[in-house]
Amino acid sequence: MNISSSLKIVSLALLGFAPFGAYAAASGDNTAAHTKAYAEELEGEKVSLDVVFIRLSRHAPEDVPYVFFWAMTIDDDAHSGGGAILVVADKDDKDALIRKYGTNLDRDRGEGGPEHKSLRGTVRIVERKGKSRHVYLDVTDSGVDLSNAPDGLLDDSDTTVDIDLPPGKGPRGGGMGGNLR
């Protein structure tokens, strides 16, 4: 076998796997992880996320007309956690958001895994000199720029949560899901 025929075989093999790669890349479009990974392309666009629950920010200033929370998402296709993203909403919507999404993961969900509900908002990016980039979802009526927000508000250190998935639904068939960070 010569080099030319070897290259043809390798090329055909790679082309045969192309549809699987395209499907894998499409998986998880409604997750925080996907939104953060493609933030530059999505900035200013409306996206929908599959949210399993929300966690109110411990570092939110109380003297503003907004509420800040972390939306914990799930990748329903891959049966794993989909990450967390900071969300800013109008303070008047706080109670309705808590009722809709809850503040804890519902662990009594049966065979289908955690229930999720869609959250739609505009992708925004905060980039400050000498600091890391932060992506957030804006669900306010007027739009909020968080470029002057306190650093603690953008800190996602309290968003790590492990989710239990039904047996056979987790990565590699295990019963434990990935974390939602």
Side-chain angles (χ1 to χ4, degrees), residues 39-41 43 123-127 133-136 145:
E40 279 78 20
E41 293 92 347
E43 185 174 18
V123 177
R124 307 253 189 243
I125 300 174
V126 175
E127 294 192 72
R133 174 190 84 147
H134 294 280
V135 179
Y136 66 99
D145 176 10

Side-chain angles (χ1 to χ4, degrees), residues 29-172:
D29 287 351
N30 295 342
T31 65
H34 176 83
T35 300
K36 288 177 175 182
Y38 295 97
E40 279 78 20
E41 293 92 347
L42 296 172
E43 185 174 18
E45 300 290 324
K46 292 252 186 211
V47 298
S48 293
L49 301 180
D50 294 337
V51 176
V52 290
F53 71 99
I54 62 174
R55 179 171 286 166
L56 295 172
S57 174
R58 296 182 296 167
H59 306 288
E62 293 185 24
D63 60 343
V64 295
Y66 307 108
V67 62
F68 301 91
F69 60 90
W70 294 94
M72 309 299 176
T73 65
I74 190 167
D75 183 346
D76 221 15
D77 296 331
H79 304 292
S80 64
I85 191 167
L86 182 66
V87 179
V88 58
D90 292 311
K91 195 171 260 185
D92 294 342
D93 296 334
K94 177 181 177 181
D95 292 336
L97 291 164
I98 290 172
R99 276 192 306 276
K100 181 174 182 178
Y101 299 104
T103 56
N104 291 300
L105 181 63
D106 182 8
R107 297 190 184 278
D108 184 28
R109 75 246 174 272
E111 290 292 315
E115 179 184 351
H116 60 80
K117 295 182 176 102
S118 183
L119 174 66
R120 189 158 172 80
T122 304
V123 177
R124 307 253 189 243
I125 300 174
V126 175
E127 294 192 72
R128 299 187 276 191
K129 188 174 182 173
K131 306 217 178 186
S132 60
R133 174 190 84 147
H134 294 280
V135 179
Y136 66 99
L137 196 66
D138 186 341
V139 297
T140 65
D141 291 334
S142 57
V144 177
D145 176 10
L146 295 183
S147 59
N148 292 323
D151 289 338
L153 179 66
L154 302 172
D155 178 24
D156 65 353
S157 63
D158 62 346
T159 62
T160 302
V161 175
D162 286 325
I163 59 171
D164 295 327
L165 295 174
K169 297 286 188 185
R172 291 182 295 283

